[in-house]
Amino acid sequence: MGLYEDLVNGKEKLSLVGLGYVGMPIAVAFARKINVVGFDLNEKKIELYKNGVDPTNEVGNEVIKNTKVAFTADPSKLREAKFHIVAVPTPVNDDHTPDLTPVEGASRILGQNLTKGSVVVFESTVYPGVTEDICVPILEKESGLKCGVDFKIGYSPERINPGDKVHRLETITKIVSGMDAETLDTVAKVYELVVEAGVYRAESIKVAEAAKVIENSQRDINIAFMNELSIIFHKMGIDTKAVLEAAGTKWNFLKFMPGLVGGHCIGVDPYYLTYKAEELGYHSQIILSGRRINDDMGKYVAESLVKDLIKADIPVKRAKVAILGFTFKENCPDTRNTKVIDIYKELGEYGIHPIVVDPAADADEAKRLYGIEFQTMDDVKNVDAVIIAVAHDKFLSLSKDDINSFFNPKHKHKVLMDIKGLLDRKEYMTEDYLYWRL
């Protein structure tokens, strides 16, 4: 019998290395079908899972409470499994070069606990070649085993969209790949246990790695185009959202919107591709151009706010500004790699120290990573300007009376920035408001 059959019959286990926003939902999905060991180095996170708490809000406390995943921070428990999925983040350094520390560390730990006959599948987003050229040598060195003889490898890029309750692991076609035909077949069959949308068998590991890294690069470039249009249309006195709604009536117009590009994928993955291209002697033009535009949007928003404060005859230095929303995307507690911090820091250069409100965010994480302590909605009063930075559901319910109550009543003009275009623009295009949106 093969490994797939042994997993289905309960003779072998699957392990998930890395239980964050991507890894944990995968572990939970597989645990409905087979035996799963869920491993993460973060003992605090493991304790939360064991106590039925989902800090990511990806599947909810009730699901965590009832899942059969064997959560552990003990690496030796990985020896109980034969099919391993590595789902750790792959960030970039300050100089935008790939930071492979997490995936190398995971490979090291897994290698130290790898047994003969195992299959290791990496899900982390990387440039083509990382799985075979960097991860495999680590696995071999730490385990003393030989890849292709004692264990096999595959790659299946994650496509989970944090905070998205529609596009989930089960509903998105899964790209799978393996080092040989037998491994590919095993990897495909295992993922077919949980992916209702089916799998796509890539012809090689490098093809699968490349497919993933260009998915987010494509989105990044398209959003950069929208951001550039927004800058141009503001200079022309035209509302960008109105233009896009008109253009969107054509059947083949791509419906992207301008915005802050943060998170762990769209703002990161293009740098992995351009880094590898540089190694091969090619300097990216379109990809890096898009990155520059998107990376500068926080500064652009802050500068636009300062201009509106000046228009409203409100002193810029020490102006009281409230930022509503701090996470990298709506309805998700994750603050890592948020671009709202760019607005916060840029305003600081003008002597403005905003108060930040985000009822959906992980407050402990924000304090640890950025030194920012969140305020409550009740603290937003007598302010000089409001920036609605994230489209949380909790902000969608704000009425005009609610927003009016935030401002200092002494001011003739209320400076309001609606980055995501949540509000009805016509309702705020009045004499008492200076309304701005991307």
Side-chain angles (χ1 to χ4, degrees), residues 189-231:
K189 285 179 178 177
V190 170
Y191 275 105
E192 282 172 341
L193 286 171
V194 295
V195 182
E196 295 164 10
V199 302
Y200 176 85
R201 300 185 181 208
E203 67 177 49
S204 70
I205 288 174
K206 284 188 175 69
V207 165
E209 290 170 323
K212 170 57 182 176
V213 84
I214 70 162
E215 288 174 15
N216 287 323
S217 297
Q218 183 188 65
R219 285 186 58 78
D220 193 45
I221 292 165
N222 278 300
I223 296 170
F225 177 48
M226 296 298 115
N227 281 333
E228 188 167 60
L229 290 178
S230 178
I231 294 168

Side-chain angles (χ1 to χ4, degrees), residues 1-71:
M1 292 179 73
L3 178 53
Y4 169 74
E5 287 77 18
D6 287 343
L7 286 166
V8 172
N9 294 330
K11 292 182 179 180
E12 296 292 354
K13 297 179 183 179
L14 175 148
S15 88
L16 217 301
V17 180
L19 297 175
Y21 288 81
V22 171
M24 184 274 291
I26 297 172
V28 168
F30 273 113
R32 296 189 182 105
K33 305 282 186 177
I34 57 179
N35 296 323
V36 175
V37 175
F39 169 76
D40 198 288
L41 281 173
N42 188 329
E43 294 182 9
K44 184 180 176 184
K45 186 191 294 180
I46 292 298
E47 282 307 307
L48 286 173
Y49 288 147
K50 284 183 174 179
N51 291 320
V53 177
D54 176 12
T56 71
N57 289 339
E58 283 299 302
V59 299
N61 294 346
E62 200 60 33
V63 172
I64 289 292
K65 202 176 295 180
N66 295 307
T67 185
K68 294 179 181 177
V69 177
F71 294 113

Side-chain angles (χ1 to χ4, degrees), residues 178-376:
M179 65 182 297
D180 53 38
E182 182 186 17
T183 308
L184 174 59
D185 195 53
T186 299
V187 172
K189 285 179 178 177
V190 170
Y191 275 105
E192 282 172 341
L193 286 171
V194 295
V195 182
E196 295 164 10
V199 302
Y200 176 85
R201 300 185 181 208
E203 67 177 49
S204 70
I205 288 174
K206 284 188 175 69
V207 165
E209 290 170 323
K212 170 57 182 176
V213 84
I214 70 162
E215 288 174 15
N216 287 323
S217 297
Q218 183 188 65
R219 285 186 58 78
D220 193 45
I221 292 165
N222 278 300
I223 296 170
F225 177 48
M226 296 298 115
N227 281 333
E228 188 167 60
L229 290 178
S230 178
I231 294 168
I232 294 169
F233 291 145
H234 270 290
K235 290 183 179 295
M236 294 179 173
I238 303 172
D239 181 62
T240 307
K241 191 174 182 180
V243 174
L244 295 179
E245 285 173 351
T249 58
K250 189 181 181 189
W251 76 92
N252 61 352
F253 186 81
L254 301 179
K255 296 187 179 182
F256 287 88
M257 297 291 287
L260 302 174
V261 183
H264 320 291
C265 297
I266 302 177
V268 172
D269 296 356
Y271 287 124
Y272 274 73
L273 186 56
T274 58
Y275 171 82
K276 188 61 179 177
E278 290 273 3
E279 273 194 343
L280 299 171
Y282 179 78
H283 180 73
S284 162
Q285 297 178 64
I286 292 176
I287 300 171
L288 286 180
S289 177
R291 278 283 73 236
R292 281 191 295 273
I293 291 170
N294 288 340
D295 274 347
D296 285 345
M297 289 310 288
K299 182 179 180 182
Y300 172 67
V301 170
E303 288 173 348
S304 299
L305 176 74
V306 168
K307 289 175 183 177
D308 277 358
L309 286 173
I310 293 169
K311 283 181 192 173
D313 291 322
I314 298 171
V316 172
K317 193 171 184 179
R318 286 188 287 275
K320 190 175 181 183
V321 176
I323 297 177
L324 306 187
F326 191 73
T327 58
F328 85 89
K329 70 176 295 185
E330 63 274 9
N331 305 318
C332 176
D334 199 351
T335 65
R336 294 171 301 165
N337 205 28
T338 176
K339 302 307 284 184
V340 181
I341 190 63
D342 293 352
I343 300 173
Y344 183 92
K345 287 180 177 178
E346 189 65 25
L347 290 176
E349 296 291 319
Y350 291 93
I352 299 170
H353 301 287
I355 63 170
V356 182
V357 176
D358 196 324
D362 185 331
D364 291 338
E365 183 180 75
K367 187 175 181 181
R368 186 179 73 253
L369 294 179
Y370 308 104
I372 291 176
E373 291 196 29
F374 294 147
Q375 307 297 310
T376 67

